[in-house]
Amino acid sequence: RCDFYAAHFGFRCEDAVLMWFLISGILFGTIAGMGMGGGIILIPVLTVFLGVDQQGAQGLNLLCFLPMAGFALFSHIKHKRVDFSWAIALGLGGLAGSLLGAYLAGLMKNEVLGKIFGGLLILLGGWRAFGQISNMIKKKKSKANQSCCNPEK
């Protein structure tokens, strides 16, 4: 990968890797700051483009997430977007789940963990696409019902 950057762009290998880490951090931080899970971007970038193994990428994701989550949480609390009654229950469940997940990830080979992560991304993408398509169909049906049955038009 470094040879490609050196041959095509004149970058030293270390500079190219640093550049990708900075770009990945900006994308990851932006998406995580919006509360959408920046690991969806960071983990594939680390594994596909930067050659980090799956367990290492997930560990880096978690380590990077800590300070960014703190800043993002501060902003969301400031704008009164956090329901603390739900946050406590979610936090306790998330703590238990993260301990179990970290234990299970440590038992798995990188290849298996990568396939599980990829499968999860595919499932989430399909779920989101299905939801968007369903919403579009509902809106079209609603507009059709309003235009055909509305006596004002």
Side-chain angles (χ1 to χ4, degrees):
R1 291 183 180 137
C2 288
D3 293 337
F4 172 81
Y5 295 111
H8 290 85
F9 302 107
F11 291 135
R12 291 186 344 210
C13 181
E14 297 82 17
D15 294 338
V17 170
L18 178 62
M19 176 190 69
W20 274 110
F21 271 92
L22 288 172
I23 291 169
S24 302
I26 291 168
L27 287 172
F28 171 76
T30 302
I31 292 170
M34 292 188 289
M36 293 190 280
I40 290 172
I41 298 294
L42 184 62
I43 292 171
V45 167
L46 289 172
T47 56
V48 174
F49 296 110
L50 297 174
V52 177
D53 67 50
Q54 186 70 33
Q55 289 176 332
Q58 289 184 214
L60 277 171
N61 174 59
L62 293 172
L63 184 61
C64 292
F65 178 74
L66 288 173
M68 288 183 275
F71 286 112
L73 180 60
F74 174 77
S75 175
H76 286 284
I77 289 171
K78 181 179 170 185
H79 292 99
K80 299 182 183 354
R81 293 187 214 128
V82 177
D83 182 343
F84 285 98
S85 60
W86 289 105
I88 292 169
L90 286 169
L92 290 173
L95 178 63
S98 67
L99 291 171
L100 177 63
Y103 174 74
L104 292 174
L107 297 176
M108 293 180 198
K109 293 183 178 182
N110 281 314
E111 295 80 21
V112 172
L113 195 57
K115 287 177 182 177
I116 291 171
F117 182 76
L120 181 62
L121 288 179
I122 291 168
L123 285 173
L124 287 173
W127 181 37
R128 290 286 298 167
F130 178 76
Q132 293 293 323
I133 292 168
S134 295
N135 286 339
M136 287 180 0
I137 291 169
K138 287 177 188 175
K139 285 180 183 179
K140 284 184 180 185
K141 284 182 180 180
S142 176
K143 284 183 181 181
N145 287 339
Q146 287 175 357
S147 65
C148 82
C149 305
N150 191 348
E152 293 177 12
K153 290 188 177 184

